[in-house]
Amino acid sequence: MTDIAIIGAGLSGRLLAVNLLRQATHDVRIQMFERGEANYMGAAYSSNEGYLLLNVPACRMGAFSEDAEHFLKWVKEKGIAAGPWDFLPRKLYRDYVFSLLEESQMTDRNGASFTQIRGEVIDLEVGQNRATLYVQGKGTFPAHKVVLALGNFPPRNPHIYNRAALTSQRYVRDPWAFSGFSSLQGNESVVFIGSGQTMVDLLVGLYRRGHAGRIVSISRRGILPLAHKGFEPYPSFYAEIKDSTCLLEIFRSVRRHLDEADRRGIDIRSVIDSLRPDTQALWLALPEAEKRRFLRHLFRYWEIIRSRIPPESDLIIQQLRASGQLEIIPGRIRNMVENETGIEVHYSSPGGIREEVVNASLVVNCIGPESDIERVEHPLVKNLLRRGLVRPSPARLGIDAQPQGEVIGRQGETSEFLYTMGSMMKGILWEVIAVPDIRLQAEQLAGLLLGHTHSQLPALPMTVSSASVSPPEATKPVFTPTLTLKSEMPRSVSISAAISAATASISKPARTACSGSFSCATGKPNTALKPSPWKRAT
């Protein structure tokens, strides 16, 4: 009997359990540990609000790589009218995954069994042939293999002078652990720190509640995620950059194709999508210093183009901006000061010396999950670090591991019993949190844990290609907000111009030189890539 412990019951952990049950060829006991409720599936899928939509169309959300439309078929079997390019409620996807796990348990899988244990794993100790999990209030549990499917951690606090403000009830550090929007008065103001997908989700929630107060989003660059839309595909140019380990070389090639797409009237999203099947290979080849440069200078621009929002959410944003209720401000948070009526948020505009102030009844931290495991406040992670069983990954994005998921310890040794997947693998594979990536990780890691040969394992995640397929120009959304738009609002900052400006930043001298036809460390400007106005992509 092989004991496999899965720590975490989010999407990654549950899909791994499904695949272990499906692939099992011998006696295996699967135990999944989660400190939340029995129906918990991570922050993204645990809400019962119907307005929270998936960020990927239904036709790509199947749980199995061999059948990307499996979810869509399941939805139709339930009698729900949905098209392939609809963005369905997340709670519906949670029900789908739960049903898969229940079905897998009911099927005879050569002695495989599954148990979900509600309790927090706070420590893990290594024995001679197995590990021992310490579960708060429930004792110890043995396991031959342990998988860290820990999901996302709450965001770090902003760096401000007045640290006392971080304990104010008017400040929300973890947006997904907060349920106080219903207590807001209709005309009270809200400030979001950040302008990514989390902010968009919460903003849609305020809209659906009929909130009438002012809403402000402050982020360093003041740019929003792009929405899904139909567009002409762009041919892959991976062959031009596949041998490069220099970020500037890769960036210049991408910029050249972005300009070419703009010249031809092709949406810039298609350029980034053309690299989607090969993004993991590019990331794996980059030295750590180059990965850090990417995170400093380009991450946000890549993220807003790659991680898109449903068209319905984009329409709501346009409505709120057109009415003046929503304001997107580029700036850096400097301080927060609570007073009798609310909380003052002090920020400086890009390049600005003077601080400006916006008043709010509530401030919500939406800067994104903490990815540096040495900064997280999690007892298990702290103990794993203390024992030397894990170490931060390159660029401090999650846990260091082999591409297949085997964890690498403090001294550089590859563990024979400890594995990880999902967001903890972002530093290794970069593209790891979309369903097409997670389902492949789950299939592959399940085979590895069960001892299948390499020929029996699914392909590496970097071979995924379905995500590059473009939807048709016209789609019929399941949820359509009631909107009246007189004109489309321009974005706060031109994404194209911002990316152009980033060229100069990346061209600054690097700490290490890159291989290739020239050195990135020279810092010489590329005169052939002078910033030029682009058509706004929406």
Side-chain angles (χ1 to χ4, degrees), residues 11 39-55 61 71 74-75 78 80 87-99 176 208 478-479:
L11 177 60
N39 62 348
Y40 183 78
M41 201 175 88
Y45 299 97
S46 294
S47 173
N48 289 317
E49 301 286 1
Y51 62 77
L52 287 174
L53 306 180
L54 296 166
N55 291 319
M61 289 292 289
F71 170 58
W74 179 88
V75 168
K78 296 293 181 183
I80 301 172
F87 295 83
L88 303 179
R90 294 180 197 173
K91 66 176 184 178
L92 189 61
Y93 195 74
R94 178 190 62 201
D95 294 343
Y96 163 67
V97 174
F98 282 176
S99 73
W176 293 113
R208 295 288 286 170
V478 171
F479 160 65

Side-chain angles (χ1 to χ4, degrees), residues 107-181:
T107 306
D108 183 12
R109 295 293 179 186
N110 298 313
S113 67
F114 172 82
T115 305
Q116 183 172 346
I117 300 169
R118 186 180 174 190
E120 182 175 13
V121 181
I122 58 175
D123 200 0
L124 188 153
E125 192 173 39
V126 181
Q128 186 173 359
N129 298 313
R130 62 175 59 193
T132 301
L133 282 66
Y134 293 84
V135 181
Q136 190 171 37
K138 297 204 171 177
T140 60
F141 294 79
H144 296 101
K145 306 284 185 181
V146 180
V147 180
L148 303 173
L150 303 178
N152 292 318
F153 297 108
R156 69 180 65 175
N157 286 313
H159 296 290
I160 60 175
Y161 308 125
N162 179 28
R163 305 299 290 177
L166 301 176
T167 62
S168 169
Q169 292 186 346
R170 294 184 180 275
Y171 166 70
V172 179
R173 177 182 178 182
D174 186 353
W176 293 113
F178 177 67
S179 58
F181 279 135

Side-chain angles (χ1 to χ4, degrees), residues 227-249:
H228 285 275
K229 65 169 288 186
F231 46 73
E232 179 184 346
Y234 192 86
S236 173
F237 53 98
Y238 174 62
E240 297 179 14
I241 54 179
K242 65 181 181 67
D243 297 323
S244 178
T245 58
C246 173
L247 179 64
L248 185 54
E249 287 181 354

Side-chain angles (χ1 to χ4, degrees), residues 234 253-263 266 268-269 271-272 305 499 534:
Y234 192 86
S253 181
V254 172
R255 276 290 320 282
R256 190 163 53 249
H257 286 280
L258 288 171
D259 286 338
E260 173 63 17
D262 184 62
R263 186 186 65 81
I266 300 175
I268 62 173
R269 279 162 278 210
V271 177
I272 302 302
I305 300 174
I499 296 176
W534 291 354

